[in-house]
Amino acid sequence: MEAEPQAYRGIMVSSTFKDLEAHRREVIEAIHRFGFHPVAMEYSGARSDADVIETSLRMVRDSVAYLCVIGHKYGQTPVDAGRNPKGLSITELEFNEARRLGRPILLFLMADDHPVTKGDVEPDGKKQRKLKAFLKQAKRIDPSKAMERVYETFKSKDEFAKKAAIAVGLLAIQATGGSDIPDRAIRDAIARFIDIKPEANHAALADAIKRFEADYRALKQQLAAIAVSDNGVTSLKAAAEAALAEGDLAKARAAYREAAEAARHMATEPVRTAAELKSAEAGAHLLALDWEAADAAWAEAAAMLAPFALDSADRLVEHGGKRLERYGAVYGRAGALSAAIGRWRALTASAEARGDKRGAARFRANFAGALRTQGERTGGPEGVRLLCEAVAAYRDTLTVLTRGDLPTAWATIQNNLGNVLASQGERSDGAEGLGMLDEAVTAFRNALTVYTRTDMPADWAMTQSNLGTALQAQGERTGGPEGLRLVDEAVTAYRNALTVRTRADMPAEWAMTKSNLGTALQALGELTGGPGGLRLLNEAVTAYRGALTVHTRADTPADWAMTKENLGLVLELMAEADPDHARAHLLDAEAALVDALSIYTPEHMAFYHDKATRSLARVRVKLVRLDTGSSTDQR
């Protein structure tokens, strides 16, 4: 039974200490981040040589995996004639125990050209020979056989940190259950994800790999379904399938490209096959998180098809646009969103040129939606310009998709128009901003003439929630008794939405509406003031905390950050309304805003980043003033 690890998921970190202290910190951080517990000498006290051996071997036995880093020093060799007759180092004793127990071994070897100080190199000749022998046998799965295990070498601390994070991440994914996807593909996917999201935790990584696996299987099915008659193309297609089966995505991408090129230039091969292969190549690029290559491949595939089957080419462009827009929204890539906008713009122009008004209206609606997403994330004058363009596109769409001919489509566009007008109004000052918010309220009320609670409850609830957002912004701008009435209407609209959007049936929508209700209660509390206002602010805090039970950092980072920002703002207000507990409220507000800024980046969410940064600075000034005894009223 001693060979069984403890119930917690521990990974033993084994290495010499002083020369690899910085490397150990990196891998311990990765172990924490991916849901394991580090089992390391940092967490054990000083012991005698006999105790060191027992403690070290017990740590190996208590762990589910063993991670060994070997540098240019051999390390401590405890003296114990009975337990360590060969005078091996602690690290080598631990390694041998892990191999004896069959623990998964993650082995990292420092390269000869890794920067080191003189003190990081083993000076003792006898220990140098032992280190050389240890390196030789550590590389082998079985000391008596020549077959080597998989191991990593590293030339710098940064390279080690990345490789260690990938290895621990792969172990975390493997611990959640088996997969029919090759380990190589999973490992490469983890490496690409860590490049984009270096601070991602276990939940975020698991979610990304789940998406990768689904897209990987879909790509295999897509390739298998492509019918090929030419022998040369068949061979290249088979090579792509084999590379994909091995998990070699780089080789598969190259094979897709070669197959598509061969098919395009084969007079006997239909052009459609070439375009489908090129589309599959695009899918492989996007699977590898290379949206630029995917965009180029989809454009080339459409260009192949356009002279022969324009409808099919447009569908392919539309497919690429949707995939790029989703990628841009999920990974926060402005370039991918811009590429999607370009696709919708081109599709709209093409449909208009051939007189397809309804087709053009449908593409224009998608175009407007992508513009809105890009505009909200961009902020500043460019963000306002994009939102203005989205409004114009929705208004043009409504001249074709009318209430009389297509009531549901008309209501959808009215709702979407209301959303972008509300965003635009929130970013515009004075009478202009109020006018946009008034137009947004009108658009939502128009949608509700079709979206009824009886016939279309989900759409009705969505539009009620959106109406609440516009009414709230309108009320905050208006102020006075009329502003109070509008914000109270917003609270009613949110509560209406929550009669359909329940946590049990629609958790994501429930959380979003709870968060919106919190902002309305916050505004109402600020306008009301006094004990009644404080009660409303407390209700807002409760609403935000409820939303955060669903809006988690791992699953919905943008929504989590927005809710955290709103929580910070209402806590700041409570510090003023409840001076006896001002410091506690301000400290909680500071923590919430810091959390929000861990997601908001100036590159991809500039508007929200700037707003939250100003709020955090204001809260910190208030804390300083509170500590020095001066006024905290700096709003």
Side-chain angles (χ1 to χ4, degrees), residues 18-19 72-73 110 114-122:
K18 288 186 179 179
D19 56 321
H72 298 317
K73 296 194 78 171
M110 182 181 285
H114 187 295
V116 293
T117 65
K118 184 178 180 181
D120 294 336
V121 179
E122 183 57 65

Side-chain angles (χ1 to χ4, degrees), residues 175-388:
T176 62
S179 174
D180 57 341
I181 308 297
D183 273 357
R184 176 175 182 171
I186 300 292
R187 184 183 182 86
D188 289 348
I190 291 171
R192 287 187 292 272
F193 182 72
I194 287 175
D195 277 340
I196 291 179
K197 303 276 189 181
E199 301 304 319
N201 60 16
H202 182 207
L205 177 64
D207 187 55
I209 295 304
K210 192 179 297 181
R211 287 195 302 271
F212 173 82
E213 289 179 332
D215 289 344
Y216 189 94
R217 294 187 188 97
L219 184 61
K220 286 183 69 176
Q221 291 172 359
Q222 179 185 3
L223 186 59
I226 298 173
V228 179
S229 57
D230 180 81
N231 288 338
V233 179
T234 300
S235 175
L236 291 168
K237 176 175 174 285
E241 289 174 325
L244 207 56
E246 293 167 6
D248 190 342
L249 197 54
K251 188 175 177 181
R253 293 167 75 185
Y256 277 129
R257 185 180 298 111
E258 193 176 354
E261 290 301 314
R264 183 169 62 170
H265 293 99
M266 283 283 186
T268 58
E269 192 68 39
V271 173
R272 189 181 302 277
T273 300
E276 287 175 351
L277 285 165
K278 203 68 184 175
S279 178
E281 178 196 331
H285 288 316
L286 203 60
L287 195 62
L289 303 183
D290 186 352
W291 73 263
E292 292 97 336
D295 182 37
W298 269 313
E300 194 173 349
M304 292 178 193
L305 267 179
F308 305 94
L310 188 57
D311 287 345
S312 296
D314 281 353
R315 282 195 297 272
L316 201 148
V317 173
E318 184 177 7
H319 170 72
K322 288 177 179 176
R323 293 288 303 278
L324 288 168
E325 186 175 346
R326 186 186 77 166
Y327 174 89
V330 169
Y331 289 100
R333 291 295 179 262
L337 281 169
S338 294
I341 288 168
R343 291 189 174 281
W344 299 127
R345 195 191 301 274
L347 285 167
T348 302
S350 176
E352 286 176 337
R354 61 178 183 266
D356 180 5
K357 291 185 177 180
R358 284 197 175 177
R362 182 168 63 84
F363 292 138
R364 193 180 289 110
N366 287 325
F367 168 60
L371 283 168
R372 176 198 167 196
T373 301
Q374 185 78 306
E376 288 180 344
R377 292 183 176 213
T378 301
E382 176 60 13
V384 171
R385 186 193 67 76
L386 290 165
L387 292 173
C388 285

